[in-house]
Amino acid sequence: MTASPVQLLPRPVDPSVDHGIQAIVAGAASGSTCSTDLAASPWTFDATPGYGPGASMGDVLPTGSPVQGALPAAYREAPEEELHERIRAAKAALGDRVVILGHFYQRDEVVRHADYVGDSFRLAKAAQAHPAAEAIVFCGVHFMAETADLLSRPEQAVILPNLAAGCSMADMADIDQVEECWEQLEDVYGPLDEQDADGLVPVIPVTYMNSSAAIKGFVGRHGGIVCTSSNARTVLEWAFARGRRVLFFPDQHLGRNTAKAMGVPLEAMPMWNPHRPLGGSSEQGLRDARVILWHGFCSVHRRFTVDQIDKARAEHPGVRVIVHPECPMPVVDAADEAGSTDVIRRAIEEATEPTTFAIGTEINLVQRLVAQHPQHTIFCLDPVVCPCSTMYRIHPGYLAWTLEELVAGRVVNRITVPGSVADPARVALDRMLACVPQAPARKA
């Protein structure tokens, strides 16, 4: 009798980046991480100024940034499985009174409890689908919770489980710097609200979704618009139909990559450094500009390099390289494709044949994709495990605490945008919605 062939199934992959870091630091697994401090619990750093270990640990935290108070010992000392059980029990007790949103870059231990998983704007839109919910717990970073507050009902409480979860890129353009930039541009161009013979104003401000509510409010007051990484081109087309040039902030790389793909020459895209007069440009350079790029960046996506892509191609012939448009221009140019987190996820989901993917984006999303798609070979371009510092500040301990406080009738860590900022910020968001309708986030 001929023996039947044995079918070997792919070994399951642990999607937890935290487990991987713990093993690396303990010497139980090969590999490296950008900081051994990542093995510590995030509350270890709550009282220390800074973004915490990870990709943004070298970035400067602005004075006056939100600080997270001490997490009660019951949550700091609880084992992982106990925290998961407490979260499940609190969710069951709260029922439809709460909606939990989890960003793609959140650690797996948090994402597993989310009602919706997606990028920042789609999650904010998902919250709108639950107007009866009393609380929206946003497992992401500060600007995301602000956006959810802008788009939710006034009586709904938007909660950020850890107030120290900011965003270094969003912090690279504060409202005082942007106001000063606007005044200097007016000195160069004249009144910025006056149309020329073609009906165009001198400059239209465009802010990336990854910015504070104050910046979104500034854009709304000055005829501008918000964009996401998936609709940046359409938004720039909208802006060019209304202005001679665009002031794009806070991420220089998304602005440069998008405008370059539209045919804007690099010499027409000067950088604005807020610490230098006229941003470091000349008056003539600003007059000749089509896109003025703010000197900001994402520390996660700045880690990816052309050398990493070359190495991936050498070791994996036929590899499909997909990177986020927040990566530097040479990296985007060297990749096969560039797209938002949702574009990356869908590209892998829609691949019908086993494919090798090299991905240039945050490691928590990449590792989750590895676990979800064992038919493919998927790896992060950066061999060093270095998650987003601020996304990593959200931990099941904080989530359990915020939910159990809600069960007890107490709202903690509520994020509220004042009306003077919220009204013009909604104008900028509404312009984006009218420009590109957004689909809701997928159900977790």
Side-chain angles (χ1 to χ4, degrees):
M1 178 180 293
T2 303
S4 300
V6 176
Q7 182 179 10
L8 297 177
L9 299 176
R11 294 180 61 187
V13 174
D14 183 356
S16 172
V17 171
D18 180 55
H19 292 171
I21 290 172
Q22 298 293 336
I24 290 171
V25 173
S30 60
S32 61
T33 180
C34 59
S35 173
T36 56
D37 285 344
L38 286 163
S41 300
W43 45 79
T44 306
F45 308 99
D46 282 347
T48 305
Y51 292 105
S56 295
M57 56 191 170
D59 297 337
V60 179
L61 184 74
T63 302
S65 295
V67 176
Q68 174 61 41
L71 185 68
Y75 302 98
R76 289 185 276 113
E77 298 168 2
E80 182 179 311
E81 194 45 53
E82 178 186 327
L83 289 174
H84 289 315
E85 183 52 42
R86 293 175 75 161
I87 291 169
R88 287 190 286 265
K91 281 190 69 177
L94 292 165
D96 293 339
R97 293 169 54 201
V98 67
V99 175
I100 300 177
L101 310 178
H103 191 272
F104 282 134
Y105 295 165
Q106 285 292 297
R107 59 174 80 205
D108 184 67
E109 291 81 2
V110 168
V111 164
R112 69 176 64 179
H113 298 292
D115 297 305
Y116 292 90
V117 180
D119 60 21
S120 59
F121 185 69
R122 293 192 178 201
L123 289 176
K125 288 290 291 178
Q128 289 185 308
H130 295 269
E134 298 173 16
I136 299 163
V137 179
F138 208 124
C139 298
V141 295
H142 197 271
F143 77 80
M144 300 178 185
E146 285 185 328
T147 303
D149 184 63
L150 291 171
L151 297 177
S152 61
R153 296 170 64 87
E155 63 271 18
Q156 291 179 293
V158 175
I159 294 170
L160 183 64
N162 185 340
L163 292 178
C167 172
S168 61
M169 177 169 66
D171 290 340
M172 289 175 188
D174 69 40
I175 187 60
D176 291 337
Q177 292 174 331
V178 172
E179 294 277 9
E180 172 61 24
C181 168
W182 199 249
E183 290 178 6
Q184 292 187 53
L185 291 180
E186 190 165 38
D187 291 339
V188 174
Y189 302 133
L192 298 181
D193 57 353
E194 287 189 4
Q195 296 179 352
D196 61 18
D198 296 322
L200 303 176
V201 296
V203 60
I204 294 285
V206 175
T207 189
Y208 190 19
M209 181 64 72
N210 300 29
S211 59
S212 69
I215 296 296
K216 293 181 178 73
F218 170 89
V219 167
R221 290 195 307 273
H222 294 285
I225 188 171
V226 178
C227 79
T228 69
S229 55
S230 58
N231 74 356
R233 181 178 184 126
T234 304
V235 166
L236 284 186
E237 290 171 348
W238 180 96
F240 284 139
R242 291 160 176 79
R244 287 289 172 193
R245 54 191 67 80
V246 167
L247 172 63
F248 189 96
F249 44 84
D251 182 37
Q252 58 172 294
H253 299 300
L254 177 62
R256 182 181 296 106
N257 290 324
T258 305
K260 181 183 176 220
M262 296 171 65
V264 178
L266 295 179
E267 58 269 23
M269 291 190 271
M271 183 89 72
W272 185 279
N273 185 329
H275 303 293
R276 300 177 63 184
L278 292 182
S281 295
S282 65
E283 288 195 13
Q284 189 58 50
L286 291 173
R287 290 193 182 96
D288 294 339
R290 289 283 284 151
V291 178
I292 302 168
L293 300 168
W294 194 266
H295 194 278
F297 53 84
C298 170
S299 292
V300 169
H301 292 107
R302 196 172 65 159
R303 291 182 58 84
F304 298 108
T305 67
V306 174
D307 286 346
Q308 292 169 356
I309 294 177
D310 291 342
K311 186 172 186 292
R313 295 199 191 283
E315 295 179 354
H316 303 272
V319 66
R320 185 175 169 187
V321 181
I322 312 177
V323 302
H324 197 281
E326 290 175 15
C327 292
M329 182 184 69
V331 175
V332 170
D333 289 346
D336 297 308
E337 302 158 65
S340 66
T341 49
D342 199 49
V343 167
I344 293 171
R345 179 187 62 81
R346 285 190 284 108
I348 293 173
E349 287 183 352
E350 293 169 2
T352 57
E353 297 296 327
T355 306
T356 299
F357 290 95
I359 304 300
T361 196
E362 210 275 343
I363 185 62
N364 280 281
L365 173 60
V366 176
Q367 189 65 10
R368 196 171 305 120
L369 291 170
V370 172
Q372 292 170 347
H373 301 280
Q375 75 276 25
H376 299 309
T377 299
I378 304 170
F379 61 94
C380 186
L381 277 170
D382 186 359
V384 178
V385 179
C386 195
C388 172
S389 300
T390 51
M391 290 282 186
Y392 218 58
R393 299 298 284 263
I394 307 294
H395 182 279
Y398 296 103
L399 181 56
W401 169 62
T402 54
L403 291 176
E404 291 188 340
E405 288 293 293
L406 285 173
V407 171
R410 296 184 291 268
V411 175
V412 295
N413 287 14
R414 182 169 185 175
I415 303 299
T416 304
V417 180
S420 58
V421 172
D423 291 341
R426 290 191 191 100
V427 170
L429 287 168
D430 286 343
R431 288 176 184 143
M432 186 183 75
L433 284 172
C435 190
V436 181
Q438 297 290 319
R442 63 185 178 90
K443 194 73 172 176

